[in-house]
Amino acid sequence: MFPTKIYVKRRQQLQQKVKSGLILLLGNEESSMNYTDNHYHFRQDSNFLYFLGLDQAGLAGIIDIDNNQTILFGNELTLDDIVWTGPQPALTDLAARVGVTKVKPKNAIASYLKKARKKGQAVHFLPPYRPENKIKLSEWLGIKINGLCSLVSIPLVKAVVALAAIKSPEEIAEMEKAVNISGAMHVAAMEYAKPGMTEAEVTGKVHGIAVSGGGNLSYPIILTVNGQTLHNHYHGNVLKKGQLVLGDFGAETAMHYAGDITRTFPVAKKFTAQQKEIYQIVLEANMQCIKASKPGVPYKEVHLLAAKIKTEGLKALGIMKGDTDAAVKAGAHALFFPHGLGHMIGLDVHDMEDLGEDLVGYDETVKRSSQFGLRSLRLGKALETGNVITVEPGLYFIPELIDRWQSEQKFSEFINYKKLKAYRDFGGIRIEDNVLITKKKQRVLGTHIPKTIKEIEAIRGQK
Ligand code: GLY
Ligand code: MN
């Protein structure tokens, strides 16, 4: 945990921004996997962690702005609980660690909220994403579950986004740790993978490193020879020489700050000539887009820069043709780059995505596009000092998408479908780093993770 004063300051800042009423912050409950007592690994709500810091199930907090007090609601363990869980600190002691002096039993929250609403106090709450918390909100506030969404407090969402999007020095230090554990996972995958192994064997190896780092995975591991499928969680394929392994995985630290790194390496000791050509285009986009990410620059522009670099590169290989700007404006490049260049990252791998992608990544000046590819960009607005973002360009050859577009002769003025035949089984390449926006420029977080062809082949050639 951070020092107490950090949580106190964050809540003060939140109060100042929201101004009146009360703010209800729901921690998460244990979540059952296949029967009540068999739980998924517990993950606290990130907003609760940010303002109230406590990493245990069954808590809720109220920041009563009008009465200038914060109350933690939760139940002390019974002796019966302690038999199974062991002794835990008293709630009053836990609360004191985050500067909260008032603790009440969990069942007192409904009457607190009822009284407040009777007095005309507004109850600000964030979009709930877990069923248990939807039910609680519905019962406590007397709102039907399907009506909760429209009553979410937009001023509260905006206040949380404004605060949490700017990372403090101690958060940056945690994120640096997360990237370093994630980097160790990637180097281990490159060192360990051999032809004949399954994807699952390599996946198990890297998962262990995340756990050894004191936290866990920040999202389910993508480690696949079918990198053209963007969120591919199947790990049953056997690695064969000539294929590429796309690994998109990262760790979160014990404090839950996330790393999100992607590397692509050959199953063989070396990339093929064809793989090298595509790899080099993606690497160029990765490096140029990192350099272009600066305070004041809309990230949508950086995404479009990636699209242009890739279009130019594919034109040089004869896969695309025509005017680059016109191809990118029309969205022809999205056949090979159907996702966004990146997103904010912090306590969540897609930071604050529970609050609404558009409220986090867009604003009055930059609106979300509806064009295929560009519409998947989660962050479009101008970058600010203190943001931490991912830069993750990729190139993919998705047979199903190619077939559809080819049958429609879609963008045939920009795409050479004949040439694409030789790339049908290519797979995909993505290279992703986590980048802090500094006062004037940017800095890639963590120690360098091998990413040039030379660096990767040096590791792959070691065996
Ligand atoms: N790491 C997966 C993603 O960013 O979607
Ligand atoms: Mn990512």
Side-chain angles (χ1 to χ4, degrees), residues 102-144:
K102 288 200 166 56
V103 177
K104 287 180 187 284
K106 208 166 164 188
N107 64 11
I109 200 166
S111 60
Y112 193 100
L113 290 169
K114 202 170 169 187
K115 268 192 216 146
R117 288 167 73 221
K118 239 187 187 160
K119 281 190 276 176
Q121 276 188 286
V123 177
H124 299 275
F125 63 90
L126 298 169
Y129 53 92
R130 290 229 182 158
E132 304 85 8
N133 282 346
K134 288 185 187 181
I135 294 168
K136 278 187 245 169
L137 279 176
S138 169
E139 286 178 353
W140 294 344
L141 302 175
I143 302 166
K144 283 206 170 115

Side-chain angles (χ1 to χ4, degrees), residues 16 73 112 146 164 167 175 206 275 301 311 337 360 424:
Q16 278 158 13
F73 292 87
Y112 193 100
N146 58 14
K167 271 59 181 177
M175 298 200 66
V206 303
Q275 287 166 350
E301 275 179 21
T311 302
F337 177 37
V360 175
R424 200 175 167 79

Side-chain angles (χ1 to χ4, degrees), residues 219 248 260 262 342-343 349-350 390 392 432:
Y219 53 99
D248 179 345
D260 180 3
T262 307
H343 48 85
V349 61
H350 289 181
T390 69
E392 48 181 307
E432 175 178 24

